[in-house]
Each structure stands twice: as structure tokens, then as C-alpha cells.
Amino acid sequence: MVRGKSTLFTKALVRTPGRSLIHGLTSGKHGIPDFHRALVQHAEYINALRECGLEVLVLKEDEDHPDSTFIEDVALLTPPLAIVTNPGAPSRRGETEGMKEILAAYFESIEEICEPGTVEAGDIMMVGTHFYIGVSERTNKAGAAQVIGYLNKHGLSGSILTLEKVLHLKTGTAYLEHNNLVASGEFIEKPEFRQFNILRIERDEEYAANCIWINEKVLLPKGYPKSRKTVEAAGYEVIDVDVSEFRALDGGLSCLSLRF
Ligand code: CIR
């Protein structure tokens, strides 16, 4: 569904964290997640998605894959097609198993990234019909080229950005529609983003750059008051969600769902 130029979402796909979550990949900067607290936070996250009007489809935990709750990385969903990725992190490869079958209920066209390409969709940001793809430690140029090929086949476009410091592109930037781009660190001055109205996230609140626009509301991590003010001043209703246990694994709000 499209309102003005913005795609309104109707559904979200999430995966319940498993007990193995505590063994997820991490830079180790933010401690070890508490599994029970993570479960509570995940349930609150689902409530926030519902508050934005989404029907939430909940997949059961996958204990074999500690990072599988970060479901955003295993597929790119666009109105005309879904692309199942090939995660760059070897421990995350098996997370894509079964995704094609799940997505087949909602998408007519499903493509897949294959070797030597690697892609984690946290590196892909949708801006209308254009998709920015960050080449990172997880997403390589061959994978990005495959994504662009699939997008082009369906009348969409893509371009590549090189990331310097962040794990994924959307770790540091988020498009909030209406030409508003939340940006932290390396993205504030990025020449490729010059045309956007930059909503600047201060260095001490960088984690808040991973926020999500859903049907004119913005989900923001709890505890970042300056960022909240910035987003509210741009005219959005903000819903804050505590995702501290997922932050411990370098994951944020966007990583926890696939919106479509
Ligand atoms: C990982 O390192 O892959 C996970 N611990 C966190 C993934 C976060 N996903 C994202 O930023 N899209």
C-alpha cells in the first residue's frame, strides 16, 4: 500500500530469541545479554509493532543460530519481490533455511543471493524505489551486485556505499520518509546523502540512529532523549522501546523485524 510516496507496511515478521542468544556474535562492548530480559523486551517490541498497525507473524526460536532473532539480515523485502540473502557471517548462514518457503505465502517473486556473494540486509536501506547497499564486513561487492540486478529486473534501483566503522549500514542511519534521514557518525557528511534533510544523532547517542519508520510513527530505542527530541521536532510520533539486551549483541530495532 502506498500513501503519497511512502509505502505503508501491513505486516512484520519476527523471530523469538532462543536461549542460545547469549552466544551471539558481539563486539563485546556492551556486555552479555540476559535471556529473560531479552524475551520481555522482544514481547514489548512486538507490541510496539502492533501499535503501528502491523500484523506480526512470530517465528519460533532457532536454537542452532544464536543471532537468528536479528531476522532483518536474512531477507530484503520490497513490494514487488523478496530476496533471501546469504549472510557474510559463517555462523549466520543457516538462518536463511526455510525463509523462501515462509516468504512464498506473501511474495510472488523470490530471489536468492548465492556464492561468492554475501549480503546481510541490515546493510540495505530503502528510499522509495531506490536501495542503498553498504559494502561491509558482511556484505560484499558481488552480493551487492546481485541485489542490484534483482532490483533492476523489477523496476527498482540500487547503489553501493562503502562503510567505514559501523557493522551494518542501518546501524548508523535510517530513512524516515519525507526526505528525512537520521544519520550518525560517518553518515552525517556522506556525499551520497547530500540531498536529504539530515536529522543528526549526536556521538553520545549513536545507538539511536538505528530507528525505524513505520506508517508515520518512529520506533526509537529507549534512553536517548536528545535523539527523541530531534525526531519529534521533525514531526513524528515516537514510540520508545527498550532493546538493551539486543544492543549487547550489536543489534538494534531495525534488525529485529522484517516489515512489509
Ligand atoms: C551480528 O553480529 O550479526 C549480530 N550479533 C547483530 C546483527 C545486527 N543486525 C543488524 O544490524 N541488521
Side-chain angles (χ1 to χ4, degrees):
M1 198 195 310
V2 174
R3 193 170 88 194
K5 278 187 183 149
S6 306
T7 301
L8 291 187
F9 298 115
T10 58
K11 295 182 181 58
L13 199 54
V14 302
R15 188 181 289 281
T16 305
R19 285 181 183 277
S20 61
L21 180 78
I22 55 166
H23 303 301
L25 295 172
T26 176
S27 59
K29 287 185 209 146
H30 307 290
I32 297 168
D34 177 285
F35 170 64
H36 292 287
R37 220 177 296 140
L39 273 186
V40 171
Q41 290 183 353
H42 198 258
E44 284 165 1
Y45 177 76
I46 290 174
N47 286 340
L49 295 176
R50 291 195 176 124
E51 226 181 290
C52 296
L54 303 187
E55 177 193 348
V56 184
L57 314 156
V58 185
L59 303 181
K60 71 176 186 49
E61 64 277 12
D62 172 0
E63 292 293 0
D64 292 338
H65 297 100
D67 285 298
S68 54
T69 194
F70 301 112
I71 194 168
E72 172 177 63
D73 292 319
V74 299
L76 174 69
L77 305 185
T78 81
L81 89 151
I83 303 175
V84 176
T85 65
N86 180 31
S91 68
R92 300 199 60 188
R93 293 269 158 88
E95 289 179 28
T96 54
E97 210 179 299
M99 281 309 290
K100 209 172 163 185
E101 292 68 26
I102 292 163
L103 295 173
Y106 307 99
F107 292 85
E108 263 176 39
S109 189
I110 303 178
E111 307 277 9
E112 283 174 284
I113 302 298
C114 46
E115 294 291 331
T118 65
V119 172
E120 294 187 5
D123 276 322
I124 307 181
M125 181 170 72
M126 176 172 83
V127 177
T129 57
H130 187 78
F131 292 75
Y132 290 94
I133 307 167
V135 168
S136 67
E137 279 182 18
R138 305 289 183 85
T139 297
N140 64 18
K141 282 190 181 155
Q146 287 178 37
V147 172
I148 293 173
Y150 293 140
L151 292 171
N152 290 167
K153 228 169 85 180
H154 292 267
L156 307 170
S157 59
S159 58
I160 293 177
L161 302 169
T162 303
L163 306 188
E164 288 156 31
K165 293 190 181 138
V166 290
L167 173 63
H168 288 120
L169 173 64
K170 286 184 287 185
T171 308
T173 185
Y175 187 60
L176 303 187
E177 306 295 316
H178 315 295
N179 207 44
N180 291 322
L181 185 83
V182 162
S184 67
E186 66 194 77
F187 301 108
I188 295 169
E189 306 275 343
K190 200 96 178 148
E192 290 90 338
F193 291 159
R194 210 175 285 143
Q195 76 271 27
F196 297 120
N197 175 38
I198 300 289
L199 306 181
R200 186 191 174 112
I201 300 296
E202 298 301 330
R203 189 177 290 274
D204 59 340
E205 292 202 0
E206 272 175 357
Y207 183 68
N210 184 273
C211 54
I212 33 181
W213 177 96
I214 305 176
N215 305 346
E216 298 306 340
K217 298 187 201 304
V218 174
L219 261 55
L220 204 74
K222 196 174 189 142
Y224 299 89
K226 287 187 279 187
S227 307
R228 182 178 180 134
K229 258 194 195 148
T230 302
V231 172
E232 282 177 338
Y236 298 95
E237 181 188 331
V238 169
I239 300 176
D240 63 9
V241 190
D242 191 355
V243 279
S244 61
E245 304 316 300
F246 301 99
R247 182 183 188 223
L249 297 177
D250 309 318
L253 280 170
S254 78
C255 325
L256 290 171
S257 63
L258 283 162
R259 287 85 49 202
F260 60 105

